[in-house]
Amino acid sequence: CAKERGRNDMAYYEEGLAVAMRQRTSLEADLRHALERDEFEVFYQPRVCVHTRRVVGAEALLRWRSPERGLVMPDDFIPVCESSGLIMPIGLRVFEQVARQQAEWAARGLDLQISVNLSPRQFSHPGLLDGIRAALRVAAGRPARLEIEITESMLLARDERPREVLDAFEAMGMSIALDDFGTGYSNLAALQRYPIHTVKIDKTFIQGLDTDRPLADMIVSMCRLMRLTVVAEGVETCDQLDWIAGRAIDQYQGFLCARALPAAAFEARFIDEPLAA
Ligand code: C2E
Ligand code: MG
Ligand code: MG
Ligand code: MG
């Protein structure tokens, strides 16, 4: 009868919820161990100059090398790091690892600007700036060769906090990029109001239907007027690269050149031969 079915549905629902909660709790516990056991590894995806086709930088993209789960991608663990607060200590390790790697590569003649992603919880954390300063001190990092990647939603706070944080990054010598541009509020005024140096056009525009492209064209023109560096994300095909090369786009990232690679694989490919394609 219906009543019984309702009870059964409820039982299923509660069981499903309990399973999801157990999984989340065990993932969180595993992430804590992973931090203690140093299982987080930064991969690097080349940023290529559209005109010279040389590798001019890299984006730091985090991976979790778990002995039990294998190589885990950020979309599968960053959300739990965010909700648990673990993103703070993990994120600072990223800065430390990147600064060390950058110094090592610079000493061998590969001077790259490296960009590091911040998530909302990191961006609004009161200890962020001190944490980053400390991490860079430990690793003798060079802020002038670092770029911070934020997303538009982080600029929507009504208080002065986003400005204070961005001003502080700029004062340290870092540059600031708006990531996934075009997918959010695309508040062009924000580009003027905040110290932003780079705009990364989201891959949906690059890969998207031609109907998206007039909008992408408009964004590129605006960025050019504001003297921003424009980066195209998610370039996978030669056709997409041709389209980009015909526009005022400075750099691109994408599988066409390379996926994010472990540091050793990155340098094997790009230290001696920085030409991308
Ligand atoms: P994102 O910052 O927008 O990074 C770009 C994502 O697009 C990366 O996914 C990259 O591997 C992928 N990608 C690059 N080229 C192509 C392409 O040609 N085609 C396609 N389909 N994808 C491409 P990934 O590494 O899985 O990272 C996902 C997201 O996780 C990042 O998006 C970023 O928001 C976040 N993330 C990664 N590392 C960190 C980190 O250290 N800290 C924080 N807070 N977030 C991170
Ligand atoms: Mg990014
Ligand atoms: Mg992006
Ligand atoms: Mg993103």
Side-chain angles (χ1 to χ4, degrees):
C1 68
K3 200 166 181 183
E4 201 165 284
R5 201 164 55 234
R7 244 195 320 270
N8 277 335
D9 286 352
M10 200 60 190
Y12 274 126
Y13 173 76
E14 281 174 359
E15 201 175 298
L17 205 64
V19 168
M21 281 174 70
R22 267 199 306 278
Q23 279 172 351
R24 191 196 175 287
T25 313
S26 89
L27 176 57
E28 193 179 317
D30 287 358
L31 285 165
R32 279 181 207 284
H33 280 125
L35 184 61
E36 282 161 19
R37 294 185 295 196
D38 235 349
E39 291 170 2
F40 294 102
E41 182 178 333
V42 177
F43 278 37
Y44 299 88
Q45 185 181 37
R47 279 170 65 162
V48 183
C49 171
V50 172
H51 310 290
T52 63
R53 304 282 154 102
R54 286 186 152 258
V55 175
V56 290
E59 178 174 4
L61 292 162
L62 192 60
R63 305 289 184 257
W64 171 20
R65 251 190 225 285
S66 161
E68 294 85 24
R69 300 170 191 251
L71 188 70
V72 189
M73 301 297 278
D75 288 340
D76 295 326
F77 67 90
I78 297 262
V80 173
C81 295
E82 271 280 287
S83 58
S84 62
L86 278 167
I87 193 66
M88 277 311 285
I90 293 172
L92 294 177
R93 292 271 182 92
V94 171
F95 277 91
E96 220 180 291
Q97 238 183 76
V98 165
R100 285 220 168 84
Q101 191 60 68
Q102 198 173 33
E104 197 192 306
W105 281 338
R108 293 162 58 192
L110 186 66
D111 179 30
L112 298 177
Q113 183 188 51
I114 302 185
S115 62
V116 177
N117 291 280
L118 287 185
S119 53
R121 179 109 178 225
Q122 289 173 284
F123 191 72
S124 59
H125 194 288
L128 177 71
L129 291 166
D130 285 342
I132 291 177
R133 285 193 190 99
L136 295 187
R137 220 165 19 242
V138 167
R142 290 163 63 208
R145 297 301 279 150
L146 287 175
E147 184 160 79
I148 300 288
E149 294 196 12
I150 60 167
T151 50
E152 293 164 88
S153 63
M154 299 180 203
L155 301 177
L156 294 178
R158 286 191 155 271
D159 55 23
E160 283 300 297
R161 173 79 184 156
R163 161 168 311 284
E164 285 164 20
V165 175
L166 295 184
D167 283 348
F169 282 139
E170 199 179 41
M172 289 166 77
M174 296 185 187
S175 95
I176 298 151
L178 261 195
D179 200 2
D180 305 338
F181 195 78
T183 58
Y185 299 84
S186 302
N187 186 351
L188 290 166
L191 290 176
Q192 276 188 310
R193 203 169 329 120
Y194 294 104
I196 287 158
H197 311 94
T198 303
V199 164
K200 301 187 76 174
I201 301 192
D202 192 72
K203 53 177 168 276
T204 54
F205 287 104
I206 308 306
Q207 302 175 346
L209 311 164
D210 295 281
T211 49
D212 284 343
R213 289 190 167 165
L215 183 54
D217 262 331
M218 196 196 72
I219 292 173
V220 172
S221 313
M222 301 285 287
C223 292
R224 183 61 30 189
L225 283 173
M226 293 187 229
R227 299 177 189 283
L228 296 159
T229 298
V230 183
V231 181
E233 293 194 292
V235 178
E236 293 183 354
T237 68
C238 293
D239 281 350
Q240 289 162 359
L241 184 55
D242 286 344
W243 184 82
I244 284 162
R247 274 152 189 85
I249 295 178
D250 305 285
Q251 299 173 18
Y252 78 91
Q253 273 179 249
F255 296 169
L256 180 64
C257 173
R259 290 171 186 262
L261 300 167
F266 186 97
E267 65 184 55
R269 239 184 99 178
F270 298 114
I271 275 220
D272 296 322
E273 193 42 72
L275 280 181

